Amino acid sequence: MLDKVNELILEVKAFKANSKEEVESFRIKYLGSKGILKDLFGEFKNVENSLKKEIGQALNNLRSAATDKVNELKDAFESATESQSSYGDLTRPAEPIPLGARHPISIVKNRIVEVFNRIGFTISEGPEIEDDWHNFTALNLPEYHPARDMQDTFFIEKNPDLLLRTHTSSVQTRYMENNTPPIRTLSPGRVFRNEDISARSHCIFHQIEGLYIDTDVSFADLKQTLLYFTKEMFGKSKIRLRPSFFPFTEPSAEVDIYWGLETETDYKITKGTGWLEIMGCGMVDPNVLKNANIDPTKYSGYAFGMGIERIAMLLYQIPDIRMFYENDVRFLEQFKSVL
Ligand code: PHE
């Protein structure tokens, strides 16, 4: 019997299982109520007293070997299933991570900024609630000047000196106060005008304005910069400048780009002319320089300004300006692929 028990111990130690089920039947085979150990202990009763000690020890060894084996294998299978559930099926195709999208206004603003960054313009920002001086007076728009009516203004009732800025030219006023030429700055930001809301206009929109001041800046520099911009931004290389009026620039011009008349939409957005107005510009009025303590006999400069919504509507063929502010996910999701 001793030999048999020792053989069984070796067998138990060498046992390997491929599944939980195999471990279970192994347990039943050795440790179950009708198992091998039960039988052996039954036989043990008939063993001669002189052999009882040795065989008894061997039986105990067999029992603990079997118990250890079962526990060891059970643990192994359990940790295997645990790690399986935490990693999942590694061969399964990945689930898409829902990505956000940048707002089209940010996309277009970043692109404009990037184009002007390349020729040395840096960004400046200012407050949305502005005082009269920075938004109007310093820009050659004294009180009661009729040109103030060009931009319907939201005033702050409690303090008539305060208003919501009607253009980001106010940031340029501040920049000129705090910096000396040469100045090359770009001011993007939100502006406010008391206008009826429609598909084409809104009371809140975004502008980006540029200001360049140095010695010997000429209208040719302005035109060349605008040409560079339209080429980089729209891939169009034909522009025209129409005489216009802004109180803060003299001479002033409206910039049109030749968009072309290739598709039906081209006809629609250019009203059949092929030309599209994209911004206002001009040479900084000497009065504006004087107001900022910059000597107009020594320095000259140009400025330009455009509406970001308008450019975005052109680039993405967006028919209604209100779509920018409704935050309809179906609209916003369409800009996922653009950086
Ligand atoms: N500030 C002008 C506007 O809001 C745009 C502009 C800027 C025009 C600079 C000329 C020069 O309409």
Side-chain angles (χ1 to χ4, degrees):
M1 186 169 171
L2 188 61
D3 288 346
K4 192 171 151 200
V5 173
N6 282 335
E7 224 171 82
L8 283 171
I9 291 178
L10 290 178
E11 214 179 287
V12 163
K13 285 195 170 153
F15 177 73
K16 284 195 174 68
N18 290 320
S19 67
K20 270 182 170 179
E21 289 71 31
E22 280 182 32
V23 181
E24 183 57 11
S25 42
F26 172 83
R27 188 189 67 80
I28 294 168
K29 181 175 161 197
Y30 284 91
L31 303 164
S33 53
K34 288 177 188 151
I36 292 176
L37 271 153
K38 184 90 178 165
D39 286 352
L40 289 172
F41 276 106
E43 275 178 46
F44 181 67
K45 285 184 198 126
N46 309 324
V47 166
E48 277 173 44
N49 276 348
S50 59
L51 293 173
K52 264 207 165 125
K53 191 177 170 203
E54 210 179 351
I55 295 186
Q57 238 162 25
L59 276 178
N60 280 338
N61 286 346
L62 176 62
R63 186 168 53 194
S64 48
T67 321
D68 288 352
K69 192 74 184 182
V70 168
N71 290 340
E72 174 198 316
L73 289 173
K74 261 193 189 164
D75 281 355
F77 278 111
E78 248 150 48
S79 62
T81 45
E82 251 171 43
S83 58
Q84 217 174 37
S85 60
S86 62
Y87 284 115
D89 176 0
L90 293 176
T91 61
R92 201 179 62 189
E95 277 177 29
I97 300 165
L99 277 187
R102 260 188 225 294
H103 195 281
I105 303 224
S106 297
I107 296 170
V108 171
K109 183 195 85 181
N110 290 346
R111 269 188 66 187
I112 299 172
V113 167
E114 199 255 328
V115 170
F116 281 105
N117 267 348
R118 274 188 257 151
I119 53 168
F121 281 79
T122 51
I123 291 190
S124 52
E125 283 176 339
E128 292 180 351
I129 299 175
E130 214 15 301
D131 53 39
D132 184 284
W133 170 259
H134 292 100
N135 195 80
F136 288 131
T137 310
L139 290 164
N140 204 26
L141 274 153
E143 216 183 338
Y144 304 120
H145 193 290
R148 284 197 178 200
D149 288 346
M150 285 167 77
Q151 303 174 349
D152 292 317
T153 310
F154 287 114
F155 290 94
I156 310 269
E157 252 179 32
K158 294 220 169 96
N159 184 348
D161 188 46
L162 291 183
L163 46 90
L164 299 182
R165 68 180 178 197
T166 56
H167 49 189
T168 51
S169 306
S170 57
V171 182
Q172 306 184 334
T173 323
R174 287 178 180 274
Y175 195 86
M176 282 188 282
E177 278 173 4
N178 300 320
N179 294 274
T180 49
I183 286 174
R184 259 176 294 183
T185 186
L186 208 57
S187 323
R190 195 155 57 153
V191 300
F192 308 83
R193 291 188 196 174
N194 193 358
E195 274 175 35
D196 289 340
I197 297 172
S198 71
R200 312 238 89 227
S201 66
H202 209 286
C203 57
I204 301 175
F205 60 101
H206 296 76
Q207 274 194 332
I208 192 157
E209 299 209 353
L211 176 71
Y212 186 113
I213 299 173
D214 204 344
T215 49
D216 301 322
V217 179
S218 73
F219 201 84
D221 296 321
L222 168 61
K223 196 174 170 191
Q224 213 50 43
T225 307
L226 296 177
L227 194 59
Y228 157 77
F229 168 70
T230 50
K231 274 187 193 165
E232 295 295 310
M233 192 70 194
F234 306 101
K236 311 272 182 192
S237 49
K238 205 159 130 189
I239 61 171
R240 72 178 180 197
L241 294 157
R242 272 179 299 108
S244 183
F245 171 79
F246 296 103
F248 26 87
T249 48
E250 182 58 36
S252 306
E254 217 96 52
V255 184
D256 295 343
I257 51 175
Y258 189 69
W259 193 258
L261 280 173
E262 273 154 39
T263 66
E264 206 174 314
T265 337
D266 292 349
Y267 267 89
K268 240 202 239 159
I269 58 175
T270 67
K271 300 198 183 87
T273 64
W275 290 95
L276 264 183
E277 184 196 316
I278 54 157
M279 64 169 114
C281 67
M283 301 305 291
V284 181
D285 194 291
N287 282 338
V288 174
L289 296 177
K290 260 188 247 162
N291 287 339
N293 290 324
I294 295 174
D295 182 357
T297 58
K298 202 169 155 202
Y299 294 105
S300 53
Y302 62 72
F304 56 85
M306 64 194 114
I308 300 180
E309 279 81 351
R310 186 170 163 74
I311 310 276
M313 286 166 87
L314 288 176
L315 283 175
Y316 301 120
Q317 311 275 306
I318 297 167
D320 192 320
I321 197 170
R322 288 168 290 198
M323 292 174 121
F324 290 115
Y325 320 110
E326 281 163 358
N327 286 332
D328 185 329
V329 178
R330 290 167 301 177
F331 171 70
L332 298 174
E333 275 187 335
Q334 294 177 52
F335 300 92
K336 263 187 186 167
S337 58
V338 210
L339 287 178

